[in-house]
Amino acid sequence: MKFKHLFFAAALFSIAPLFCACNDDDNEIEVPRDPEEDPSSQPDTTPEVTSPTEATGLYVINAGNLSNNVNGTLSFINFEKGTASNNVFFDINKRSLGSTPQDAIVYGSKMYIAIYGSNIIEIVDKNTAKSIKQIVPTSTQGEGPRDIIAANGKVYVSMYDGYVSRIDTLSLTIDATLNVGPNPEEMTVANGYLYVANSDGMNYGADYANGKSVSKIGLKTFTEAKRIPVGLNPTKICSTTEGNVYVLAMGNYNDISAKVQKIDNMNVVTDVTEATLMTVKDNTLYLINAPYGATANTYFSIDTKTGNETKNIIDQPVDSPCGIAVNPFTGNIYISSYNMVGGWPSYTTDGYVNEYSANGKFTNKYNVGVGPCGLTFLLK
């Protein structure tokens, strides 16, 4: 449901600057509020768990630009009002979100944001984006937060220097750290395990030679049970309600194409299809294949129970897709994109998010920040 982030790869190949989203005229953050008291002002007594029943909005994590030292921003799409507010973190906290935020997860009353370049995990109130706490991992806890996911009262963060750290939602501190493969990216939870895609993304000079694995970690023991061989440069990963795991290996952005592979509960890996972006709802994969330099992109879905593929799942393509998410309750589809300038994706101008109904009909376009690669729903 989250996407989690083509920004880093795009920066490597474009070496293009990205700068921050502009402020809205109205400084009010148009975020639906819970009728209860501000949970950040109340003492916690148990680790947070969550059983949401609806999504009322979509947070967009705009990565900014690492090479130009331009910080990232946070946008919010309010479903009830059909509007987008930009720079919402700055407006409420009067400071920058940080350098190259990558991902976020809403869990319980809070949202946890992985800020790669600043080496910070920012914890905010999910309804207001008001900062509650910053976690700055030490060198022994891993550095460079990339992806973030939650399960069973814990939040897990992949650290780009080769670790996964676990956050206790009661104390809001890192309580355990585990070494995994090189440059871990996205994670998913299935069958009592945490699956971590090890990309070796910084080793592009050697063609991602060590980026061919997924770490399978027991949630109860927080130890690596198995390292599963997969395709080259795995970056994205998700799981279905049946417990099958799907990993997207990006290849080398040249002669080795990106592909999706299935990992079953016996750790058997099989090829599924070619794609560059992926998300899941229940047992349906939503996929985009937009290889670097392609003149046309494809948008399709696969029913993982039957194997049936549906082509052209949206009626209006975006310019240059960089993220995809599907509302887990309504099935509405959200695709983020760079704008085109001079016939090429622009990494120096604001992007946008298109909304589609569950049957793929275009319904709205929201202007957001630069590099809008991270998408996560505000769950209630």
Side-chain angles (χ1 to χ4, degrees), residues 40 48 89 93 95 97 105 107 109-115 120-126 129-135 148 155 167-169 171-173:
S40 66
E48 288 202 282
F89 181 87
N93 296 291
R95 61 177 171 85
L97 180 60
I105 184 75
Y107 193 62
S109 62
K110 302 174 181 68
M111 180 166 65
Y112 301 75
I113 308 171
I115 307 172
I120 290 171
I121 301 153
E122 184 80 52
I123 305 172
V124 304
D125 182 284
K126 72 176 183 181
K130 177 72 173 177
S131 178
I132 296 170
K133 183 176 181 178
Q134 285 186 324
I135 297 175
I148 202 158
V155 171
I167 298 172
D168 174 62
T169 58
S171 64
L172 298 182
T173 59

Side-chain angles (χ1 to χ4, degrees), residues 217 260 341:
I217 299 166
V260 176
V341 175

Side-chain angles (χ1 to χ4, degrees), residues 240-259:
T240 65
T241 53
E242 287 195 321
N244 291 312
V245 173
Y246 290 84
V247 59
L248 199 164
M250 287 300 295
N252 63 0
Y253 309 98
N254 188 11
D255 59 326
I256 300 177
S257 300
K259 65 179 178 180

Side-chain angles (χ1 to χ4, degrees), residues 34-47:
D34 280 335
E36 63 187 11
E37 292 182 318
D38 177 5
S40 66
S41 68
Q42 305 300 311
D44 287 327
T45 57
T46 57

Side-chain angles (χ1 to χ4, degrees), residues 65-370:
N65 187 313
L66 181 63
S67 62
N68 241 31
N69 297 316
V70 177
N71 288 330
T73 60
L74 188 66
S75 300
F76 181 75
I77 297 171
N78 185 309
F79 292 164
E80 181 180 3
K81 295 183 177 181
T83 58
S85 299
N86 291 317
N87 241 0
V88 297
F89 181 87
F90 180 87
D91 286 348
I92 191 69
N93 296 291
K94 305 307 177 186
R95 61 177 171 85
S96 168
L97 180 60
S99 173
T100 54
Q102 296 288 296
D103 188 37
I105 184 75
V106 169
Y107 193 62
S109 62
K110 302 174 181 68
M111 180 166 65
Y112 301 75
I113 308 171
I115 307 172
Y116 167 70
S118 298
N119 190 40
I120 290 171
I121 301 153
E122 184 80 52
I123 305 172
V124 304
D125 182 284
K126 72 176 183 181
N127 297 303
T128 66
K130 177 72 173 177
S131 178
I132 296 170
K133 183 176 181 178
Q134 285 186 324
I135 297 175
V136 182
T138 66
S139 59
T140 60
Q141 295 170 330
E143 296 179 331
R146 295 289 284 186
D147 190 70
I148 202 158
I149 197 169
N152 303 331
K154 302 287 187 179
V155 171
Y156 298 87
V157 187
S158 63
M159 303 293 192
Y160 211 51
D161 63 346
Y163 295 89
V164 170
S165 281
R166 186 179 69 188
I167 298 172
D168 174 62
T169 58
L170 172 59
S171 64
L172 298 182
T173 59
I174 293 173
D175 67 4
T177 299
L178 178 67
N179 182 232
V180 291
N183 308 131
E185 290 275 10
E186 287 194 14
M187 302 174 290
T188 193
V189 171
N191 312 309
Y193 292 93
L194 177 71
Y195 293 79
V196 184
N198 300 311
S199 72
D200 200 24
M202 291 301 291
N203 196 22
Y204 48 89
D207 224 17
Y208 313 98
N210 300 310
K212 302 177 183 178
S213 71
V214 168
S215 291
K216 182 179 180 180
I217 299 166
L219 289 176
K220 290 184 178 180
T221 63
F222 200 52
T223 57
E224 187 176 42
K226 188 174 181 64
R227 195 165 293 188
I228 304 168
V230 296
L232 184 67
N233 188 18
T235 61
K236 309 183 194 316
I237 197 166
C238 62
S239 52
T240 65
T241 53
E242 287 195 321
N244 291 312
V245 173
Y246 290 84
V247 59
L248 199 164
M250 287 300 295
N252 63 0
Y253 309 98
N254 188 11
D255 59 326
I256 300 177
S257 300
K259 65 179 178 180
V260 176
Q261 296 177 298
K262 173 185 173 182
I263 305 173
D264 69 16
N265 56 13
M266 299 300 292
N267 306 317
V268 176
V269 179
T270 54
D271 291 352
V272 177
T273 189
E274 291 189 357
T276 57
L277 287 170
M278 171 181 71
T279 193
V280 67
K281 179 184 180 295
D282 301 328
N283 289 301
T284 300
L285 286 176
Y286 294 77
L287 302 131
I288 302 173
N289 195 28
Y292 183 75
T295 56
N297 304 322
T298 56
Y299 304 78
F300 60 106
S301 65
I302 295 176
D303 184 326
T304 61
K305 296 179 72 172
T306 65
N308 292 337
E309 179 178 318
T310 302
K311 299 181 184 298
N312 302 317
I313 58 171
I314 58 171
D315 64 355
Q316 183 174 314
V318 300
D319 291 304
S320 180
C322 58
I324 181 170
V326 176
N327 188 315
F329 304 102
T330 67
N332 283 9
I333 302 166
Y334 299 83
I335 300 176
S336 59
S337 176
Y338 301 105
N339 274 299
M340 304 294 283
V341 175
W344 294 93
S346 172
Y347 305 109
T348 61
T349 56
D350 289 345
Y352 63 91
V353 175
N354 274 4
E355 179 181 7
Y356 306 85
S357 65
N359 62 9
K361 182 176 176 58
F362 171 80
T363 60
N364 212 336
K365 178 180 179 179
Y366 305 96
N367 294 316
V368 291
V370 178

